[in-house]
């Protein structure tokens, strides 16, 4: 079968890469093996490598190919001259009659199947040395969209052959040490999906920033998918948690970020151009491309594809705007994180700061400094200086030769699945993409530092800043009887530290999500009419745009933030503390000054549990409860445990539990556990009574130390007196552990003291604490201390 020049997708599979290349072999594999699982792939056919070689032979191209490549390797011809000469060899050639007839006949049959004469097709290049596990060849070869008619089809096929020798493809093969003459090219001819009036994008079955394998990452834009692949738009971004996709009642979407989507590619009408790029209408810019149901469907397809191929995958999808159907149009191995070690990773930490210039999406997890080389026009590529940081509007495959020589990359446009992002990861070069303003803000020759080591947001600072790099080997982490958990505030940080062998999250602080992601005081969303400051009103309108009810903005953003934070640790417990802002901290939120009063000592004032049932905040607390309920019941993370902070009395505990129940959070219902922070001396003294109301305690050593010793934990001149190891504090902790165990509930601690003081970690082990929750950066060091303390305790 493969001795012929044309084969249908349903006749080929992964074993046919030598004849039809990685892209077409994968399309055939999905058509043959995954159709019964519901994965839809547009029908089509492929030319074979035999047809490519027959074209070369019929046109006598090989001797000239060899001569030109020899001149290039000897330094007697530039890359540009070589590429132009090689492409002309193909563009001037003619297909042998048997091959041309085979392509025409297959195109007519494809058109008849679709019931559409001169069916619009996508004509894609599929090299026999691309889409391999260690080389993506992302965008190196050409694709031609909306091709109609036999004459235009043959012309597009000829141009596909020529694209095997674009400057970027030659450079890429040189870097990857592939033999130019060993590579052959197959052409895929595939029915076009009407994404021009729908949408399209890219999907990975692994987190492209951190390598976390538990999610599918989907980028989406209106129109044809080239804008997403090329990075000319900032697309929507969705994250789907894969482990819950088989739960029919769950919608495990853990991130939905609305992209700008300023431009879209559509079919051209009239003239020689097949496609054109236009401004996206405002209503589409402000709308998500995919519904929740469509996001979940694509997520399920990503799992099916990944399981079939046995490795993380990089896929392209399209949504037909006429039929509303979804299709996969490409699938290839992910080439960066799937090759990385699962037990060793590098952590970079910035130790110096400077003026922040621009921000964008962080690609990679490292830091780099260098001189900014601002290039707006591709014609000026040759002006790039080795070792500089490339600053440009966007990259496409023509930029790869200088991307390999850059210390870092900054772009105005593009998202985490854009060309710049994919190639940067593969090259191991940090990049900050989608800044919007980099080429206008950064100056050519300016010394800058780019940091991609601080979560999913990337930063560009002025100057050369100091940073440290540490290599971490998880293979050396000892096992402990004591549960060792992590304290996490930022959802992005949870993804950065997913490799840590933690037993869950001992403290997830809701305040970070409210302060950094929501930014608005919840009561300002419940009662926007009470906000009179014009600047605050404008900020609230901007942030809540697209939400019919501003309260939904709070609930959805908080729920997604908690869900993203929870995902890397599922199914282990994640203890989410309800909000514990002080009045002065709440007042700093947008619109907050209207709803907060001034206090002499906010640390001991209107905070924690006392707010939840008070009329001044009760409606805001209801939004927090709704978000938790959504995380557990709609998204599906029933491993989330709720924790009540700063609960002063048993009566207050009863009032808080009643308010939570009113808002659908009933202790014991649907397995819901509710913990209490044990951080007030009264919590210890009356621990037996609190234990009948809660499922567990978590010792807050900072507040407990403050209140036992009467030392303001923020007072610099009393810092020497603030010590968790004081005998009075240790006695309180000892008593809390004993009483919790006597009552049959769990008790842990979520403070920094076990990390700072080895003897304090030993004390906790000796007292039999159930869990110790640590900050991620001190996790590995402290686990060793805990393990040693357990060994010492066993031999004592």
């Amino acid at each position: 079968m493969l001795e012929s020049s044309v084969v249908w997708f349903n006749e080929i599979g992964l074993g046919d890469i030598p004849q039809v290349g990685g892209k077409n072999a994968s399309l055939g594999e999905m058509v043959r093996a995954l159709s019964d699982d519901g994965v839809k792939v547009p029908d089509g056919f492929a030319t074979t490598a035999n047809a490519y070689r027959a074209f070369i032979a019929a046109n006598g191209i090989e001797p000239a190919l060899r001569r030109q490549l020899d001149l290039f390797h000897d330094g007697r011809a530039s890359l540009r001259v070589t590429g132009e000469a090689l492409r002309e060899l193909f563009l001037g050639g003619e297909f042998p009659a048997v091959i041309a007839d085979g392509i025409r006949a297959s195109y007519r049959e494809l058109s008849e199947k679709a019931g559409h004469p001169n069916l619009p097709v996508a004509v894609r290049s599929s090299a026999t040395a691309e889409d391999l596990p260690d080389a993506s060849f992302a965008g190196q070869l050409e694709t031609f969209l909306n091709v109609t008619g036999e004459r235009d089809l043959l012309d597009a096929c000829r141009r596909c052959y020529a694209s095997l020798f674009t400057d970027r493809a030659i450079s890429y093969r040189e870097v990857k040490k592939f033999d130019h003459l060993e590579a052959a090219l197959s052409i895929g001819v595939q029915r076009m999906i009407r994404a021009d009036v729908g949408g399209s994008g890219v999907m990975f079955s692994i987190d492209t920033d951190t390598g976390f394998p538990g999610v599918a990452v989907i980028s989406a834009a209106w129109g044809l998918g080239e804008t997403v692949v090329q990075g000319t738009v900032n697309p929507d971004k969705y994250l789907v948690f894969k482990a819950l996709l088989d739960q029919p009642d769950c919608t495990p979407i853990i991130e939905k970020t609305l992209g700008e989507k300023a431009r879209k590619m559509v079919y051209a009408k009239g003239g020689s151009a097949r496609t054109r790029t236009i401004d996206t209408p405002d209503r589409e810019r402000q709308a998500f491309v995919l519904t929740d149901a469509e996001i979940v469907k694509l997520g399920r397809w990503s799992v099916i594809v990944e399981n079939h191929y046995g490795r993380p995958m990089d896929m392209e999808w399209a949504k037909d705007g006429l039929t509303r159907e979804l299709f996969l149009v490409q699938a290839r191995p992910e080439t960066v994180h799937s090759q990385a070690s699962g037990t060793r990773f590098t952590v970079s930490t910035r130790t110096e700061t400077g003026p922040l210039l621009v921000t964008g999406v962080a690609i990679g997890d490292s830091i780099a400094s260098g001189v900014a080389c601002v290039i707006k026009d591709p014609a000026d590529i040759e002006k790039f200086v080795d070792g500089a940081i490339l600053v440009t509007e966007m990259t496409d495959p023509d930029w790869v030769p200088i991307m390999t020589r850059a210390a870092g990359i900054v772009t105005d446009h593009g998202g985490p699945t854009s060309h710049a992002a994919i190639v940067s990861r593969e090259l191991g070069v940090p990049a900050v993409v989608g800044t919007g303003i980099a080429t206008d803000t950064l100056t050519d020759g300016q010394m800058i530092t780019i940091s991609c080591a601080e979560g999913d947001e990337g930063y560009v600072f002025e100057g050369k800043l100091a940073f440290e790099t540490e290599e971490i080997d998880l293979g050396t982490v000892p096992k402990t009887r004591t549960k060792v958990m992590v304290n996490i505030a930022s959802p992005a940080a949870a993804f950065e530290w997913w490799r840590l062998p933690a037993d869950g999250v001992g403290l997830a602080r809701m305040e970070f999500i409210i302060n950094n992601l929501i930014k608005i005081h919840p009561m300002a969303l419940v009662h926007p009419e009470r906000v009179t400051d014009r600047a605050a009103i404008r900020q609230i309108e901007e942030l809540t745009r697209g939400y019919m009810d501003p309260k939904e903005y709070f609930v959805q953003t908080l729920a997604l933030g908690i869900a993203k934070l929870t995902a890397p640790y599922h199914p282990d417990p994640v203890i989410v503390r309800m909000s514990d802002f002080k009045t002065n901290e709440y007042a700093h939120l947008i619109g907050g000054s209207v709803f907060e009063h001034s206090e002499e000592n906010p640390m001991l004032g209107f905070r924690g549990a006392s707010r939840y049932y008070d009329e001044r905040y009760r409606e805001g607390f209801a939004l927090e409860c709704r978000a938790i309920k959504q995380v557990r019941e709609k998204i599906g993370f029933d491993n989330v445990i709720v924790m009540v902070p700063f609960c002063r009395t048993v009566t207050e505990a009863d009032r808080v539990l009643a308010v939570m129940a009113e808002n659908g959070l009933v202790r014991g219902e649907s397995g819901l556990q509710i913990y209490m922070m044990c951080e007030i001396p009264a919590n210890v003294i009356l621990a037996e009574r609190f234990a009948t109301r809660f499922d567990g305690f978590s010792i807050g050593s900072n507040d407990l130390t403050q209140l036992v010793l009467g030392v303001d934990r923020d007072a610099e001149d009393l810092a020497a007196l603030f010590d968790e190891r004081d005998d009075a504090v240790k006695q309180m902790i000892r008593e809390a552990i004993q009483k919790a165990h006597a009552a049959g509930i769990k008790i842990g601690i979520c403070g920094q003291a076990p990390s700072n003081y080895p003897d304090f970690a030993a004390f906790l082990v000796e007292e039999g604490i159930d869990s110790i929750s640590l900050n991620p950066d001190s996790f590995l060091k402290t686990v060793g201390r805990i393990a040693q303390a357990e060994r010492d305790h066993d031999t004592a």
Side-chain angles (χ1 to χ4, degrees):
M1 178 264 297
L2 287 176
E3 292 178 359
S4 62
S5 59
V6 179
V7 290
W8 289 91
F9 286 163
N10 62 7
E11 299 175 311
I12 54 180
L14 290 181
D16 301 312
I17 290 177
Q19 274 294 336
V20 295
K23 189 179 284 119
N24 288 335
S26 187
L27 286 169
E29 184 74 17
M30 289 194 293
V31 168
R32 288 200 313 188
L34 304 182
S35 295
D36 290 344
D37 294 321
V39 177
K40 292 186 177 181
V41 179
D43 196 11
F45 60 90
T47 66
T48 64
N50 288 337
Y52 170 79
R53 295 187 178 102
F55 183 94
I56 287 178
N59 290 280
I61 290 174
E62 184 172 345
L65 270 177
R66 291 187 180 279
R67 283 196 303 272
Q68 291 294 335
L69 288 170
D70 286 343
L71 291 172
F72 173 62
H73 288 137
D74 292 342
R76 289 181 288 163
S78 68
L79 174 61
R80 178 173 294 181
V81 168
T82 302
E84 287 178 356
L86 296 180
R87 292 190 294 275
E88 281 301 318
L89 294 174
F90 289 91
L91 294 175
E94 293 293 339
F95 280 94
V98 64
I99 296 175
D101 290 344
I103 294 172
R104 293 190 190 100
S106 298
Y107 176 65
R108 286 194 294 270
E109 185 176 343
L110 185 63
S111 297
E112 289 170 7
K113 285 182 181 179
H116 190 308
N118 289 330
L119 178 72
V121 292
V123 183
R124 306 180 188 276
S125 307
S126 178
T128 57
E130 73 169 342
D131 292 349
L132 304 177
D134 60 348
S136 70
F137 277 75
Q140 298 302 309
L141 308 176
E142 296 287 1
T143 292
F144 300 93
L145 304 177
N146 193 29
V147 176
T148 58
E150 295 176 11
R151 178 182 298 177
D152 284 353
L153 173 59
L154 286 174
D155 181 62
C157 289
R158 191 181 294 108
R159 292 180 180 278
C160 281
Y161 282 171
S163 78
L164 191 58
F165 292 95
T166 58
D167 296 357
R168 64 208 186 210
I170 295 170
S171 295
Y172 194 89
R173 285 194 296 273
E174 290 285 321
V175 169
K176 292 292 183 179
K177 302 189 185 310
F178 285 109
D179 187 327
H180 298 285
L181 293 175
E182 285 296 316
L185 194 123
S186 166
I187 300 162
V189 180
Q190 190 175 32
R191 177 169 68 91
M192 281 289 292
I193 303 304
R194 289 302 305 271
D196 61 308
V197 290
S200 50
V202 176
M203 174 168 65
F204 286 83
S205 66
I206 189 172
D207 182 50
T208 51
D209 294 324
T210 65
F212 174 51
V215 293
V217 183
I218 303 170
S219 295
W222 299 108
L224 303 175
E226 297 304 293
T227 58
V228 178
V229 175
Q230 294 169 359
T232 57
V233 298
N234 296 331
D236 292 347
K237 178 186 176 184
Y238 318 115
L239 284 182
V240 187
F241 186 61
K242 296 188 294 189
L244 296 176
L245 283 167
D246 59 353
Q247 305 294 319
D249 296 331
C250 294
T251 304
I253 299 168
I254 64 173
E255 182 178 331
K256 286 179 68 176
T257 301
L258 187 68
E260 185 183 18
K261 307 184 295 289
R263 305 273 285 168
K264 67 175 183 176
M265 182 180 288
V266 298
Y267 290 174
K269 296 179 180 179
S272 60
R274 301 182 181 96
T275 62
R276 61 193 179 105
T277 304
I278 62 173
D279 290 338
T280 307
D282 285 344
R283 61 180 176 77
E284 290 186 345
R285 293 190 194 192
Q286 296 169 18
F288 287 110
V289 174
L290 295 175
T291 66
D292 285 359
E294 290 167 339
I295 295 168
V296 169
K297 174 178 274 192
L298 283 176
R300 288 183 175 134
W301 285 2
S302 79
V303 173
I304 292 170
V305 173
E306 180 179 65
N307 288 343
H308 180 76
Y309 284 77
R311 64 186 328 119
M313 297 295 289
D314 167 2
M315 293 150 278
E316 293 181 25
W317 60 270
K319 174 182 174 180
D320 192 307
L322 301 180
T323 66
R324 313 294 293 178
E325 292 177 286
L326 290 171
F327 296 87
L328 290 187
V329 295
Q330 282 192 45
R332 50 185 167 254
E334 191 274 339
T335 59
V336 178
H337 293 292
S338 58
Q339 304 296 307
S341 167
T343 60
R344 299 183 69 89
F345 64 103
T346 300
V347 176
S348 297
T349 306
R350 184 168 50 85
T351 57
E352 190 178 7
T353 192
L356 180 61
L357 302 175
V358 295
T359 63
V361 177
I363 305 301
D365 53 13
S366 58
I367 302 172
S369 296
V371 172
C373 188
V374 181
I375 301 178
K376 292 188 176 184
D377 190 332
D380 297 327
I381 280 180
E382 293 183 355
K383 295 180 181 178
F384 182 76
V385 179
D386 286 5
I389 293 178
L390 172 64
V391 181
T392 187
E393 293 179 350
M394 52 165 276
T395 69
D396 61 29
D398 288 326
W399 294 78
V400 171
I402 65 170
M403 293 173 76
T404 63
R405 295 149 44 201
I409 296 165
V410 183
T411 70
D412 288 344
H413 309 297
T417 55
S418 64
H419 176 269
I422 293 172
V423 174
S424 294
R425 289 189 198 98
E426 194 167 304
L427 296 174
V429 175
V432 179
V433 304
T435 64
I437 57 173
T439 56
D440 293 327
T441 304
L442 305 179
T443 305
D444 195 58
Q446 180 181 20
M447 177 60 70
I448 58 174
T449 297
I450 67 173
S451 176
C452 298
E454 301 169 55
D456 51 10
E457 188 166 21
Y459 302 94
V460 181
F461 298 95
E462 185 176 4
K464 184 176 183 179
L465 305 183
F467 62 92
E468 297 175 347
T469 301
E470 179 185 7
E471 181 81 16
I472 294 176
D473 183 1
L474 297 179
T476 63
V477 179
K479 301 290 185 182
T480 61
R481 290 192 305 273
T482 308
K483 296 291 185 183
V484 185
M485 308 172 84
V486 287
N487 302 325
I488 294 286
S490 160
F495 270 48
E496 290 294 328
W497 294 100
W498 70 269
R499 290 180 180 85
L500 290 180
D503 295 306
V505 176
L507 175 62
R509 298 180 181 90
M510 191 179 283
E511 299 85 50
F512 181 94
I513 299 172
I514 296 173
N515 190 56
N516 291 275
L517 301 182
I518 297 173
K519 302 179 182 178
I520 304 170
H521 194 293
M523 292 299 290
L525 296 169
V526 176
H527 292 290
E529 75 281 357
R530 293 174 57 184
V531 180
T532 57
D533 180 76
R534 291 184 179 179
I537 292 172
R538 284 196 300 271
Q539 288 176 293
I540 292 171
E541 289 175 348
E542 180 65 28
L543 287 168
T544 61
R545 182 176 295 162
Y547 290 86
M548 296 293 290
D549 182 347
K551 295 190 293 294
E552 284 303 309
Y553 165 74
F554 184 95
V555 173
Q556 298 300 325
T557 307
L558 181 57
L560 290 174
I562 294 170
K564 185 174 179 180
L565 187 152
T566 301
Y569 306 97
H570 180 272
D572 289 324
V574 173
I575 303 171
V576 178
R577 187 177 71 187
M578 307 304 279
S579 66
D580 193 24
F581 279 129
K582 288 73 175 176
T583 51
N584 58 322
E585 295 168 331
Y586 259 127
H588 288 140
L589 294 172
I590 298 170
S593 59
V594 178
F595 302 95
E596 301 297 332
H597 61 286
S598 178
E599 292 184 300
E600 285 294 326
N601 189 350
M603 189 73 75
L604 297 179
F606 188 44
R607 62 174 285 202
S610 63
R611 299 182 71 96
Y612 304 158
Y613 55 87
D614 191 285
E615 292 305 317
R616 288 172 290 176
Y617 188 72
R618 187 176 182 133
E619 292 170 291
F621 182 65
L623 301 183
E624 297 182 26
C625 293
R626 282 179 54 195
I628 291 289
K629 189 174 174 66
Q630 179 167 319
V631 170
R632 287 179 49 84
E633 297 178 12
K634 180 183 178 183
I635 299 176
F637 287 114
D638 57 8
N639 59 318
V640 166
I641 296 170
V642 180
M643 185 155 66
V644 176
F646 223 76
C647 186
R648 293 171 168 96
T649 69
V650 173
T651 300
E652 186 165 71
D654 290 337
R655 297 183 73 175
V656 169
L657 290 170
V659 171
M660 293 177 73
E662 289 173 12
N663 288 289
L665 296 181
V666 180
R667 180 185 171 209
E669 198 170 279
S670 302
L672 175 64
Q673 296 184 61
I674 302 178
Y675 282 20
M676 182 191 77
M677 289 291 294
C678 186
E679 55 191 345
I680 300 170
N683 300 149
V684 180
I685 295 166
L686 300 179
E688 300 93 335
R689 294 173 63 186
F690 281 108
T692 64
R693 290 156 169 83
F694 295 98
D695 299 288
F697 294 154
S698 181
I699 298 167
S701 58
N702 284 341
D703 270 323
L704 187 61
T705 301
Q706 172 178 248
L707 297 172
V708 169
L709 299 180
V711 176
D712 184 345
R713 71 193 211 191
D714 292 334
E716 292 183 13
D717 53 349
L718 298 178
L721 295 174
F722 188 91
D723 191 345
E724 299 95 325
R725 297 171 297 173
D726 186 276
D727 286 343
V729 180
K730 290 172 71 175
Q731 179 57 37
M732 279 284 181
I733 292 173
R734 180 180 295 112
E735 187 176 333
I737 294 171
Q738 291 171 354
K739 289 182 174 179
H741 288 163
I745 67 171
K746 293 180 179 179
I747 184 167
I749 190 169
C750 51
Q752 190 62 20
S755 301
N756 294 340
Y757 312 115
D759 57 329
F760 193 79
F763 159 72
L764 294 170
V765 169
E766 290 166 8
E767 295 302 324
I769 200 161
D770 296 305
S771 64
I772 298 174
S773 193
L774 308 164
N775 291 337
D777 56 359
S778 59
F779 183 92
L780 297 175
K781 173 183 67 178
T782 311
V783 167
R785 292 173 176 173
I786 293 169
Q788 183 61 52
E790 290 178 346
R791 290 192 293 269
D792 293 344
H793 180 73
D794 292 343
T795 57

